[in-house]
Structures are given as structure tokens and as C-alpha cells.
Amino acid sequence: MTHIYAFANQKGGVGKTTTAVSLGAYLADAGSRVLLIDSDPQANATSSLGIDPSSVQVSLYDALIRRQSLAEIAIATPSLGLDLAPSAPGLAGAEVEMVSMLAREYLLRRALEGIVDQYDHVLIDCPPSLGLLTINALTSAADGVIVPIQCEYLALEGLGRLWQTVTMVREHLNPQLFISGMVLTMFDSRTNLAEQVVTEVRAHFPEQTFRTVIPRSVRLSEAPSYGQTILTYAPQSAGAQAYRALAQELLTRETQLEARS
Ligand SMILES: Nc1ncnc2c1ncn2[C@@H]1O[C@H](COP(=O)(O)OP(=O)(O)OP(=O)(O)O)[C@@H](O)[C@H]1O
Ligand SMILES: [Mg+2]
């Protein structure tokens, strides 16, 4: 069974891409076949994996707008077991072009048909907005949305809008959609504020919040500039250990959910 998650939060710079890429690397390391879909015109996930977005021949744009299968678009990455459906600069135009297309909310879901069986996990990295690219990701996310939350002042601000969007998508487009996880990111143990954010998020979302908290780690911010995931760049670092633990926690949750159903 393939697990499909969208990584979304319309707030920028909260750790969506870092979480999708790092989790993808550790899920693959645990033996899972992983497809990472870079659904952000900024193409941060693509370049994080050492692939130059401007050199990409076929990208997610071709899947969404030209209706090519993701099978023709996915490429292997230097990170073992991790395939990528790359973004490219042209993806910025896709959101505009999608507006007038038939079944515009289902374009990604359709592109995934015929390829999902080849993977155990599909992780979709969303842009910092609630536009059609994010809606398409939410419509495709059979296992729900994972929301990275930065341990900062006003961490929960704007979550109401995300919540409304998730509810709207569940009611009209994907009845399976729910918030399956909240990941606390960039935790700085030296500040009281970070501690308060963790407590507040856990109080609001006791079920969803992952036990693993991702610390602020310079190594995590350096890895993308070397085109490497944290798994190869600095496997002993605190950030690496945290994402390894997060991957294990997700796998355990999936096993528990499967046992219950
Ligand atoms: N745990 C961490 N410790 C230190 N730096 C981090 C950590 N997580 C992410 N960063 C850095 O913070 C910045 C924002 O992270 P990231 O790109 O993952 O966020 P994002 O939510 O995907 O951003 P956007 O909304 O622009 O897509 C990046 O420079 C990244 O390297
Ligand atoms: Mg990003």
C-alpha cells in the first residue's frame, strides 16, 4: 500500500522542504521506495537534491499541464532509494494555466495514476500558499497532510486558514483528507519561547503532533547547498538524528493505523 502525504503550511520558511527531503531520505534508508514530488515553483527540493532546476527537461509542469504521466518525469536522485518528480521554473505558470482547465483540482492525482504502485511513500512538497498547486497536493494526499510548524512567535498564526482549506478539500475533493501530523521544527532549546510553542501546539493537537521535535541545526541548513540530504552530509548531527527518529515514528504510526483498520 502506498502512503501519500502533502507537506503544507502557507507560511513561508517553516521547514516544509527540509522535512519532506530529510524524511524522504530516511524513509528510503529504512527500505521504503520513495517518490518526492516538488510542487513548488521555487524548486527548493529539486536543488536540495543536487539537481539544477534550469537543466530539468521534463518537470511536474508537464505532468500537470501536458498530462504526461509522472512515470516519464520521475528521476533517480543521488540519494539512494529516493526518486524525484522535479520542479522547474515553468511551474510558476502552471498555477495560472490550471485555472481554466477541466478537473483542475485532480491534475496531480491523475498524473499519479499508474506510478503509485511503484512506491511505498509519495511525499509532496507544497509552496507557501493555498493556491491550486497546494489544492492538487491535498486532493492527492490519501494519507493526509503533514504540517511543519516553526517553534517561533506566532507559530500557530494562519493555521486557521490551512484548517479551512483542508476541510474544504475533504468535503469536496478528497474525503480521506485530514491533518495526519504536525512537526515542530527549528526548536532552539535555549529559548523559553520555543518551549512555549511546543507546549501550545501539543495542547491544541495532542494526537497529531509528532513526539520527535526537530532542533535548529546549522548542518540542516548547509546540506542543500551541497546538493545532499542530511543523511549523507552530516549523519551524526542532531538534525539528522531527529529526522531519522521522525521517519521511524511515521512508520510506527502507519503500522498502528493499519492494524486498527
Ligand atoms: N531545523 C533546522 N535548523 C536550521 N535551519 C533550518 C531547519 N529547517 C529548515 N532550515 C532552514 O530554514 C530555511 C527554510 O526552510 P525550508 O526551505 O525547509 O522551509 P519551507 O517551509 O519549505 O520554505 P518555503 O515556504 O519557502 O517553501 C532554509 O534555509 C532551511 O535550510
Ligand atoms: Mg519549501
Side-chain angles (χ1 to χ4, degrees), residues 12-18 40 42 128 186 214-217 220-221:
V14 296
K16 293 181 287 293
T17 302
T18 306
D40 183 352
Q42 297 181 97
M186 297 182 237
I214 310 300
R216 188 172 277 287
S217 149
L220 278 171
S221 59

Side-chain angles (χ1 to χ4, degrees), residues 1-159:
M1 211 179 86
T2 312
H3 297 284
I4 310 177
Y5 299 99
F7 292 77
N9 187 339
Q10 79 274 22
K11 203 172 218 182
V14 296
K16 293 181 287 293
T17 302
T18 306
T19 300
V21 169
S22 309
L23 203 52
Y26 280 106
L27 288 171
D29 192 51
S32 177
R33 297 165 302 167
V34 183
L35 174 66
L36 178 66
I37 299 179
D38 188 350
S39 187
D40 183 352
Q42 297 181 97
N44 293 151
T46 301
S47 43
S48 291
L49 287 163
I51 293 152
D52 177 6
S54 62
S55 73
V56 165
Q57 300 288 329
V58 280
S59 73
L60 192 62
Y61 176 90
D62 301 280
L64 298 174
I65 305 298
R66 302 213 173 98
R67 298 185 182 266
Q68 264 176 260
S69 162
L70 279 175
E72 300 164 59
I73 284 153
I75 47 175
T77 72
S79 184
L80 211 64
L82 181 62
D83 286 356
L84 172 75
S87 172
L91 193 62
E95 202 144 40
V96 181
E97 291 177 59
M98 281 156 88
V99 170
S100 58
M101 288 174 76
L102 200 66
R104 60 193 179 189
E105 296 91 355
Y106 294 95
L107 299 173
L108 181 59
R109 189 144 114 187
R110 190 204 47 76
L112 269 165
E113 282 167 15
I115 194 177
V116 280
D117 293 349
Q118 296 170 32
Y119 295 99
D120 302 303
H121 285 94
V122 176
L123 312 179
I124 311 167
D125 184 29
C126 294
S129 71
L130 296 173
L132 269 175
L133 286 170
T134 296
I135 301 283
N136 264 269
L138 296 178
T139 303
S140 309
D143 293 75
V145 50
I146 293 180
V147 185
I149 296 182
Q150 189 180 350
C151 298
E152 277 288 334
Y153 183 55
L154 300 179
L156 292 171
E157 196 203 41
L159 270 191

Side-chain angles (χ1 to χ4, degrees), residues 208-250:
Q208 292 97 332
T209 312
F210 286 102
R211 270 184 293 111
T212 308
V213 174
I214 310 300
R216 188 172 277 287
S217 149
V218 178
R219 294 282 176 262
L220 278 171
S221 59
E222 287 170 350
S225 61
Y226 293 91
Q228 290 190 42
T229 71
I230 194 68
L231 186 151
T232 54
Y233 179 67
Q236 304 304 327
S237 64
Q241 305 291 337
Y243 276 116
R244 179 185 290 280
L246 186 67
Q248 285 306 325
E249 198 180 340
L250 184 68

